[in-house]
Structures are given as structure tokens and as C-alpha cells.
Amino acid sequence: MRARRRPEKSRCKRGKRIHINDSKIVFSQSTGLKELEKSVLTLLAATGQLPTDLLTTLHHLAGQLELDQYRWYTRPSDERFPIEQDAMSIKLLANSLKSELDRTQTRLVHMAARVILEGRLNQMLEATRNKSSVLFSVAAIHLDYLLRNFGQSNLVIFCDRQGGREHYGHLLRLMFDQWSLEVLRESDGHSEYHLHRCGHVVRLIFREKAETQCMSVAVASMISKYLREALMGRFNAWWKTVLPEVEPTAGYHTDGVRFLKDIEAKRVELGIKDMDLVRMR
């Protein structure tokens, strides 16, 4: 898409374009959430939805979540939304994007993510003992939605590679047995299939580093990252209320180990189970 304020693969220093790329490029701990939030909320607003709070945004993109079962996801009294952006700037950018979408007869019809909270993830891991299977089962929920709603519309589904997997045919046959499967390619980080049903064909592509090759995969990466970082903001804010001296964590392994050590005594005191806080695998 080309527009006066068009999506870009690189950051616009004047702030007049939204940045669409791999979420690891759009977001960094040093620059904060602002650039990522601008892009995600502008895209969401262009569909006619601009929620006024984080909970509504989560519900719109990820459905109902059991946040009330986790004390560390309680809404802080000083939480603002957008978190680091200005709502009016988002609306202006969204209007420009909507005009360009209309001009090019392009539609943004569906934005969604799956947020798997700690306890639920551990239940899934315990049931399968296989992280790769759990992750693919979550991805399959998205695939199922797309097939049911757009499978008769010359649908092309572009996916990032799922872990180290290159062969998806067996799983696709199991999960979508109402479609016949044609394997086109399974090699070199590129797996491709056709799904056939009632005269309709869906092209399904899995590519390594797909977020650098397909705009929709980059957007999916950014949505997931935005929701994660927003929830991590709540997580750190809550721990600060019960343990003021604790340093915030980004939640990844190395610093996560440090954080768990820092909160260990308080965690025991509060009766917080590992199953509800720490990923099993």
C-alpha cells in the first residue's frame, strides 16, 4: 500500500507513518512500546475499532480471558490507554490509512491473537508433554477460523515456521479432515500445501522468517508482542506493589531466572504456586 501516511518497513522519525515489520524490529526494551502501539492501534482503528482501555482491546483481539484469576494482571489504578501513545494521533493515522485502503479497494477484515495465560499453558503442556504440539494446536485455531470464514474466497494463508518443523501434512490431515490435502513442498524452511474442498482451493504456506516476507505475518507478530508487553506492564506494576524493591523483568529466560529468585520469599508468603506463574517447558 502506498499512501501519504503509509505502512513502512522502517521507522518514520516524523511519526507520520506506521511501522510494519518483525515485532523484534519495531519494539525494543530501550525504545519502549510507543512505535509498536502506534502501528497496532492504528490498524485496529482502521477496522472501526479503537477501544478505550486495555481490557477491551484484549477482548477484541483475543476474546474473553481469565485475567481475574491472576492477581498480577489486575488493572493498576494509574493505568492509561493508549499506554504510550496519544489517542488523537491514532485516530488521525487511522483515518489516513482507511482512506488509502478505500482507494486501493483493500480491506483489513480480521485481526486476532491467542493469549494463553500461565496456568492454562501449563495444563496444555502437562497434557501433551510436547511444547511444539501445544503451539501448533493454538495456531490451528486461527487456521480453522480462516478456513471456515474465508475458505471459499481464493484464500492464501501465510504462516511463520512452527518451531523447527518442516512437515505439516500429517497434522493438517488430522485437524482438517474435511479438506483433502495436496503436498506441494516440504524442504529448506519452506513448506506449501493446497487444501481442496467442494471445488475450492486454499493455499497454505509455512516459511522460515515469514514476518520478513509477508505483511500479514509481520502484523500478527506485532499484535502478539503488543498484547504480551501490555500484560507484562501490569505484571511488573503488581509485583512493585507487593515488593517495592524488585526490579521489573522482561519475562524472558535469563532475566526471568533472576526475577524468580528475587521474588521467591514473597511468592511463598503469598502462596503463589509455580503452576500459575512459571512455564513448565
Side-chain angles (χ1 to χ4, degrees), residues 12-250:
C12 174
K13 294 182 179 180
R14 294 180 298 167
K16 294 184 177 181
R17 297 173 183 168
I18 62 174
H19 187 188
I20 305 295
N21 210 324
D22 178 357
S23 62
K24 294 186 289 294
I25 295 174
V26 182
F27 171 84
S28 72
Q29 293 294 336
S30 61
T31 58
L33 200 61
K34 193 170 185 177
E35 190 79 2
L36 182 64
E37 182 171 59
K38 177 176 70 175
S39 299
V40 171
L41 294 187
T42 297
L43 289 167
L44 188 56
T47 69
Q49 300 287 335
L50 183 56
T52 56
D53 59 76
L54 177 58
L55 185 60
T56 306
T57 303
L58 283 161
H59 286 171
H60 183 78
L61 291 170
Q64 295 293 322
L65 298 174
E66 299 170 342
L67 290 181
D68 56 349
Q69 296 184 16
Y70 298 83
R71 60 190 96 176
W72 45 86
Y73 293 134
T74 302
R75 182 184 185 276
S77 59
D78 60 348
E79 182 176 83
R80 65 184 295 268
F81 190 87
I83 300 168
E84 294 185 13
Q85 274 291 341
D86 174 70
M88 183 54 67
S89 297
I90 298 295
K91 290 179 181 178
L92 292 173
L93 282 166
N95 288 338
S96 294
L97 179 58
K98 181 66 165 56
S99 295
E100 184 65 7
L101 292 172
D102 291 342
R103 186 187 69 80
T104 58
Q105 297 184 328
T106 304
R107 288 192 303 149
L108 177 57
V109 297
H110 180 61
M111 291 175 62
R114 298 290 298 179
V115 176
I116 312 297
L117 299 174
E118 295 94 314
R120 175 57 181 152
L121 177 62
N122 282 331
Q123 289 173 4
M124 296 170 73
L125 290 170
E126 191 172 46
T128 63
R129 299 291 175 180
N130 189 308
K131 180 183 173 184
S132 177
S133 295
V134 168
L135 295 178
F136 192 82
S137 70
V138 173
I141 296 172
H142 291 295
L143 296 179
D144 180 63
Y145 177 91
L146 295 173
L147 290 172
R148 285 187 290 105
N149 289 275
F150 307 106
Q152 299 180 9
S153 306
N154 299 316
L155 178 65
V156 178
I157 303 175
F158 210 116
C159 302
D160 196 16
R161 187 177 182 181
Q162 303 293 296
R165 193 188 300 274
E166 284 193 344
H167 301 274
Y168 303 87
H170 176 64
L171 290 170
L172 293 172
R173 286 191 180 96
L174 285 175
M175 294 180 173
F176 305 110
D177 57 359
Q178 295 181 344
W179 293 78
S180 61
L181 181 73
E182 178 186 1
V183 178
L184 302 179
R185 174 176 176 172
E186 290 184 324
S187 63
D188 302 323
H190 179 179
S191 302
E192 191 164 339
Y193 309 87
H194 278 168
L195 293 170
H196 300 265
R197 184 182 179 189
C198 300
H200 300 287
V201 180
V202 173
R203 185 183 177 199
L204 181 54
I205 306 163
F206 294 88
R207 289 292 296 270
E208 189 173 5
K209 298 181 180 178
E211 66 276 2
T212 66
Q213 304 167 51
C214 178
M215 184 176 180
S216 61
V217 180
V219 171
S221 167
M222 291 167 60
I223 293 170
S224 299
K225 183 67 173 176
Y226 176 66
L227 297 182
R228 180 196 185 278
E229 294 304 322
L231 287 174
M232 284 303 301
R234 284 192 173 188
F235 179 92
N236 282 310
W238 184 82
W239 277 104
K240 206 73 174 173
T241 65
V242 297
L243 201 62
E245 67 273 18
V246 72
E247 288 294 320
T249 179

